Amino acid sequence: MKKMILLENNIPFNLDATLSCGQVFQWICQDRWWTGVVRSQVWSVKQENGYLLYDGTTEEELIRYFNLDLDLLNVIHSIDDSIKQIRGCEVDHIFEMVSKSNIGLRIIKQDPWECLLSYICSQNSNIPTITKRIKLLSARYGSSLQSEWYTYPTPSTLACSTFQELKECSTGYRASYLQSTAYFINNHPDFLKRLENLSTQEARKCLLSLPGVGPKVADCVLLFAYNLYDSVPVDVWIRKIITSIYFHYLKSDENGPKLSYDKIVEFCRDYFGKYCGYAQQYLFSSRNELSSIIP
DNA sequence: ATCCAGGTACCCA
DNA sequence: TGGGTACATGGA
């Protein structure tokens, strides 16, 4: 068991909020200890009195995975400034509330392949189902680690699997997407690595060429694996929040036709600025509170 | 039982 | 380019 000091270094961080906000699916909390598999290792982490207690990893890896060296206050200020530019002196009470209730929530730096796999699995499913699906896939295809924990399946394992086996992991119609994408990545081992050098738009275009990857999955991978914070995944919740709260407020005349995915992204970029992906995640995290005030 | 969920591919005008 | 629909599964 090791210990890392957060408070003295003045690092705003909320482990619980970060791991339970729906950006990552392979973590489980028990007795305030979070356990999960990160790149073939079982990590255990607990936050307590300004410390991070941890096992199975190193301080450096924790900093990298949780992006602890990112100036989170600056991110929030940047979003606030951008909102002020749009609204002038009129306060955005919604985001003010949301940023308060998610203090310390950080966007994680996930492994690109694991993230891609997770979000292909995620489509048209709720979070408990996604979690279960990923667990089944790992148990069947991953390597065994300590006590019931498994690594993510590798591209080559998935590429070689049969359609039937994949379906037995409750993947449904996503099975063919998983297999095709795994097959492609297996044949292009540097594909995901290469995206690191590209702009958000270029990397997005590459991801969209993969089977089973549309705008939403691509934006999740850009945001959660490559930390391109100007990416805005638009799921049904974000769509609801932006159209009925924000877009409606600012452009009340545009009520009729359904807004396109790109229109919603464009709005978020303009409104929240270069960290709009962060704003998106805070809104998503508060979706339950927000849906009670949506008409 | 019915609706819905961190959507995408495909078809058609 | 944009709109409609099938797709598998399980949670609420």
Side-chain angles (χ1 to χ4, degrees):
Chain A
M1 171 87 53
K2 287 164 280 188
K3 201 184 225 186
M4 174 183 172
I5 302 170
L6 292 173
L7 259 189
E8 285 179 23
N9 300 326
N10 207 17
I11 300 173
F13 181 49
N14 185 330
L15 180 69
D16 295 343
T18 299
L19 290 178
S20 63
C21 73
Q23 61 177 318
V24 69
F25 306 101
Q26 72 270 41
W27 286 87
I28 289 179
C29 187
Q30 216 164 27
D31 303 325
R32 304 215 59 235
W33 275 95
W34 285 94
T35 308
V37 176
V38 180
R39 283 170 269 117
S40 308
Q41 285 188 302
V42 182
W43 292 18
S44 299
V45 193
K46 180 187 185 184
Q47 186 168 24
E48 190 174 72
N49 304 327
Y51 291 99
L52 226 44
L53 302 171
Y54 63 95
D55 209 2
T57 182
T58 64
E59 183 164 321
E60 278 167 356
E61 287 196 297
L62 283 173
I63 291 170
R64 181 174 137 77
Y65 184 72
F66 290 113
N67 277 309
L68 295 176
D69 49 4
L70 176 75
D71 186 346
L72 187 57
L73 294 182
N74 177 54
V75 170
I76 304 304
H77 286 153
S78 166
I79 295 171
D80 286 340
D81 286 347
S82 180
I83 293 174
K84 267 186 199 136
Q85 290 252 319
I86 304 281
R87 289 226 180 182
C89 57
E90 189 182 359
V91 179
D92 177 349
H93 294 291
I94 298 292
F95 194 75
E96 202 172 60
M97 187 260 282
V98 165
S99 62
K100 279 207 178 76
S101 56
N102 290 284
I103 289 172
L105 193 166
R106 285 173 182 270
I107 288 177
I108 289 172
K109 188 161 190 67
Q110 296 184 40
D111 175 80
W113 163 249
E114 296 182 358
C115 188
L116 178 61
L117 190 61
S118 298
Y119 281 95
I120 289 177
C121 286
S122 80
Q123 52 185 265
N124 216 28
S125 304
N126 53 32
I127 290 175
T129 306
I130 301 162
T131 306
K132 182 184 170 190
R133 192 173 285 150
I134 292 169
K135 196 175 174 183
L136 286 171
L137 283 169
S138 299
R140 179 176 282 259
Y141 297 106
S143 325
S144 177
L145 302 169
Q146 67 211 50
S147 61
E148 301 298 309
W149 288 98
Y150 298 87
T151 63
Y152 262 66
T154 62
S156 68
T157 333
L158 275 197
C160 297
S161 75
T162 67
F163 204 69
Q164 186 57 38
E165 283 174 330
L166 273 169
K167 287 207 139 192
E168 283 168 16
C169 299
S170 302
T171 51
Y173 66 90
R174 304 156 197 82
S176 60
Y177 300 156
L178 290 169
Q179 200 178 39
S180 308
T181 290
Y183 181 80
F184 179 86
I185 298 295
N186 190 40
N187 287 328
H188 302 80
D190 56 344
F191 179 84
L192 293 171
K193 183 77 182 165
R194 285 230 257 238
L195 300 188
E196 288 171 13
N197 307 317
L198 302 181
S199 69
T200 304
Q201 284 315 313
E202 290 169 332
R204 190 174 199 259
K205 211 170 159 188
C206 291
L207 286 169
L208 286 174
S209 71
L210 297 170
V213 178
K216 162 66 169 60
V217 172
D219 287 334
C220 285
V221 175
L222 293 172
L223 182 60
F224 300 133
Y226 295 94
N227 291 164
L228 293 163
Y229 300 121
D230 56 338
S231 307
V232 181
V234 181
D235 71 326
V236 295
W237 297 103
I238 292 300
R239 165 175 294 281
K240 207 178 293 178
I241 290 165
I242 297 300
T243 53
S244 56
I245 298 180
Y246 281 103
F247 207 86
H248 183 264
Y249 169 82
L250 289 172
K251 308 185 179 183
S252 52
D253 53 324
E254 300 196 39
N255 220 357
K258 192 179 171 186
L259 285 172
S260 72
Y261 188 102
D262 291 340
K263 279 280 181 202
I264 295 178
V265 173
E266 187 188 332
F267 169 81
C268 290
R269 291 228 168 93
D270 290 345
Y271 188 79
F272 296 112
K274 64 177 177 174
Y275 291 109
C276 48
Y278 244 98
Q280 173 276 148
Q281 192 55 28
Y282 278 41
L283 291 170
F284 179 81
S285 177
S286 294
R287 62 195 176 284
N288 291 329
E289 294 93 297
L290 289 176
S291 50
S292 64
I293 58 171
I294 289 175

